[in-house]
Amino acid sequence: MVPEMTERSVDDTEAVTPASRPAEVRQQNPLRRMALLVVLLIAVLFTVSVMMERSAPSSSQAVVQAYVVPMAPEAGGRVVEVSVVDNARVEIGQVLFRIDPRPYEIAVADAEARLDQVGQSIGANTSAVDAAQAQVVEARASLDLAREQSQRVMQLVERGVYAQARYDQAKAAFDTAEAAATRAEANLEEARQQLGPAGNNNPELRQALAALEQARLDLAHTVVVAPSDGVITNLQLAVGQVVSPGQPALTFIDTATVWISAAFKENSLEHIQAGDPAEVLFDTLPGRLFTARVESIGWGVAEDADKASRGLPTVREASGWIREPQRFLVRLVLDGPRPLGPRYGSQVNVVIYTGSNPVMNSLGAFWIRLISILTYVS
């Protein structure tokens, strides 16, 4: 009997073993389902990211930009006064530095003496012409300054930085300066006419008048002023230094015109248009979002270092097995007043909302807010 029981027990074991396999398979099913869920989640995230690249593109390759002006004097000489310090804020028209005016004052006196000599030689009184010539030089200088001011204000009004009333004021100042210049030229012509036909057409007289005008203009150029509101940076100019005409003496950053330059993949530019709303996040101001809008989209980039000399922006070279997408610069401006923290070259995160797609726009808004939290620890 014992052997029979043993054989049955063996048969029973063999019979039970195959029946237990479905249970083992059922124990593996949760892991398989989890793997499928992970794959499905990856596919969903990939699809969402591709759609966001089109409808709500974002970029972390963005910086604050402004006009950097190397301030070069139009007259050379020894620096006798530096009126600013490094990293100082300056206002439009504020004196930056002065060049020794004595050589130019001597040149003016010499030109005046030469004009008097020519006047005596032709038997005419040139004092009226001299005064009228001085008024013309002053009026033209004021007209040039007013023209630059009105053009700059017009650009800022078009970008929404200044109100229309600010441009109206600048335009009125330009019209006044233009009228003054016209009046000064008329007075000069009248004074020349009083010299008589012979004196007015005298080559020596015209040469003397031109020399005097040039001497006075050179004297005016010994004072270098700020062309707009801005900041002086990397100041290396000191009293006693000799500067040449056209040689940059200090660096001026124009803070009146500031924008954000963001590099976007070219496959993200499909729906971006000028005027699209955007949100920006400055690394210097973590957690704070600012509204902006697209001002323009770049039309070209430099292909190599040689072609960069043509004035096109450069991009980093591609590396690795997979070709990196080309990036183009998108220019954005803030809707409201510019915060004080960001400086020239500060890094920015940008998301642009294209079209009316509430789902993608919501995801883009969620993404930029998540990045705003992470900037506290980045």
Side-chain angles (χ1 to χ4, degrees), residues 178-199:
E178 187 176 26
T182 303
R183 185 167 55 254
E185 290 175 355
N187 293 336
L188 176 60
E189 184 62 25
E190 181 181 359
R192 286 175 174 175
Q193 291 294 334
Q194 291 177 357
L195 291 176

Side-chain angles (χ1 to χ4, degrees), residues 32 37 117 160 182 223 278 287 354 360:
R32 186 175 301 175
L37 289 176
Q117 182 180 3
T182 303
V223 180
T354 64
M360 292 297 104

Side-chain angles (χ1 to χ4, degrees), residues 12 18 46 73 82 94 125 127 130 144 159 206 218 250-251 270 300 302 306 314-315 337 359 365:
D12 294 341
F46 176 77
V82 179
Q94 181 176 338
N125 185 4
S127 59
D130 187 9
D144 292 340
R159 294 173 183 162
R206 294 203 304 266
D218 291 341
L250 52 81
T251 303
E270 180 180 1
D306 295 334
T314 57
V315 295
V359 176

Side-chain angles (χ1 to χ4, degrees), residues 75-135:
R78 184 174 60 88
V79 177
V80 295
E81 178 186 345
V82 179
S83 304
V84 293
V85 296
D86 197 15
N87 299 319
R89 292 185 175 273
V90 295
E91 298 179 353
I92 182 171
Q94 181 176 338
V95 176
L96 302 181
F97 63 94
R98 300 178 188 269
I99 296 173
D100 188 0
R102 289 176 295 178
Y104 299 96
E105 292 172 349
I106 295 174
V108 170
D110 182 70
E112 291 174 345
R114 174 59 181 166
L115 181 61
D116 290 337
Q117 182 180 3
V118 171
Q120 290 177 359
S121 66
I122 62 177
N125 185 4
T126 60
S127 59
V129 176
D130 187 9
Q133 186 71 43
Q135 293 177 357

